[in-house]
Amino acid sequence: MVLLAPVLLAVAASLSAPARAAAPEPAPAPEMAAEAERTYLADCASCHGDEGRGTNRGPSIVDVGNASTYYYLSTGRMPIDQPEDKVTRRDPAYSPELIEALVEHVDRFGAGGPDLPHVALEAADVAVGGKLYRAQCASCHTTAGGGGALLREDAPPVYHAAPVETAAAIRAGPGTMPAFGEAALSEEELNDVVAYVDYLTQPNDRGGQPLWHLGPLIEGLAAWVLGLGSLVLLALWIGKPA
Ligand code: HEC
Ligand code: HEC
């Protein structure tokens, strides 16, 4: 019966696994395209211009590329209310479908800029990704991914990014982050780094409850308490007279 406890824990963990942003799919429906156009004119054009050429309130986005537009919309950094507002991660303002359609809409303004990469983590090598991460990313985001409180004040933690968002950030190079093109990180290496960042995100949080990142000792204890608790419950349930 002792063997059951980990199984119960695993089931509990899988039931409470957090929902993650889905990868965008190609070709939005025509109604979505119309909604994206309306949304762009209402929410973006006052700063970026009707055709994305920029105004005195916001830069040109004609050639930023799909990776950038996706990054800014999916991480809720755009839209902002005022040009001087802090550009920071928030809940996205739009549904994944509308974000996809907005990305297509902005894409029609110009042809330049990095495309949103296709992320495929099944064959990714997390260990290689870890090496690449420590060499190319840790100087700003820290080795543990908690963000650059010590080294670079403005690098955010990587924990909250869904795999597509990490991939988009790598190719787009938002803000002061450099853009890593295929010469710097091949498609395979990109998948390795994204898988590693995803791994950094998960060890503590996969079970739903982050346990405030107290570390393996406390978390191990918690697992024991939970495990024992479910054993006791199970024993009580089994022991109950029919
Ligand atoms: C109140 C003005 C304002 C509004 C509204 C706004 N933006 Fe922005 N946007 C900015 C400014 C300012 C920046 C530059 C921010 C920075 O780099 O810190 C920016 C940056 C961006 C970038 C990155 C540009 C680059 O060079 O990498 C994209 C993409 C973008 N906005 C898309 C949008 C979209 C799409 C919308 C509508 C959903 C939107 N923005 C609404 C002001 C605005
Ligand atoms: C020079 C410092 C620097 C380096 C190097 C760097 N980043 Fe960044 N990164 C930033 C900054 C600054 C931002 C925030 C940009 C913005 O949106 O304005 C950011 C944003 C991100 C985000 C979005 C976080 C979120 O959820 O909001 C991810 C993920 C990320 N970087 C991953 C990486 C990875 C992976 C690498 C290595 C391949 C890397 N970064 C290299 C500075 C850096």
Side-chain angles (χ1 to χ4, degrees):
M1 194 167 69
V2 171
L3 285 174
L4 270 172
V7 173
L8 288 177
L9 276 177
V11 168
S14 67
L15 286 177
S16 58
R20 317 198 107 221
E25 282 167 19
E31 320 84 67
M32 263 300 160
E35 193 179 339
E37 182 169 16
R38 277 195 302 278
T39 307
Y40 180 86
L41 291 174
D43 294 0
C44 320
S46 65
C47 296
H48 294 293
D50 287 1
E51 305 270 292
R53 287 176 219 276
T55 70
N56 59 353
R57 291 163 54 84
S60 163
I61 51 172
V62 164
D63 277 327
V64 286
N66 291 346
S68 176
T69 314
Y70 180 80
Y71 169 87
Y72 279 89
L73 292 176
S74 183
T75 67
R77 282 175 166 85
M78 287 289 142
I80 47 178
D81 287 333
Q82 297 299 328
E84 56 280 0
D85 283 357
K86 207 164 150 43
V87 178
T88 184
R89 189 182 183 92
R90 291 186 203 90
D91 287 339
Y94 313 112
S95 69
E97 297 75 31
L98 185 50
I99 287 177
E100 185 192 321
L102 276 164
V103 169
E104 296 260 311
H105 184 78
V106 172
D107 189 49
R108 279 194 284 273
F109 297 152
D115 267 328
L116 186 60
H118 177 68
V119 180
L121 300 186
E122 304 80 41
D125 188 328
V126 176
V128 171
K131 279 201 198 104
L132 292 165
Y133 177 89
R134 283 185 291 277
Q136 315 242 41
C137 323
S139 62
C140 292
H141 291 285
T142 74
T143 317
L150 298 170
L151 300 161
R152 304 269 185 131
E153 267 182 50
D154 54 356
V158 297
Y159 301 135
H160 310 295
V164 222
E165 292 169 0
T166 305
I170 291 172
R171 288 293 191 238
T176 53
M177 174 167 162
F180 297 82
E182 302 229 356
L185 288 175
S186 68
E187 201 171 310
E188 199 180 338
E189 290 170 326
L190 175 116
N191 281 318
D192 294 346
V193 177
V194 170
Y196 182 73
V197 169
D198 197 39
Y199 158 82
L200 280 179
T201 313
Q202 287 177 13
N204 299 328
D205 296 354
R206 244 301 137 89
Q209 256 296 355
L211 292 174
W212 309 284
H213 297 276
L214 293 177
L217 182 64
I218 303 278
E219 283 164 17
L221 259 177
W224 271 108
V225 171
L226 277 173
L228 283 177
S230 43
L231 270 184
V232 169
L233 283 180
L234 192 69
L236 285 174
W237 177 67
I238 288 174
K240 224 162 137 187

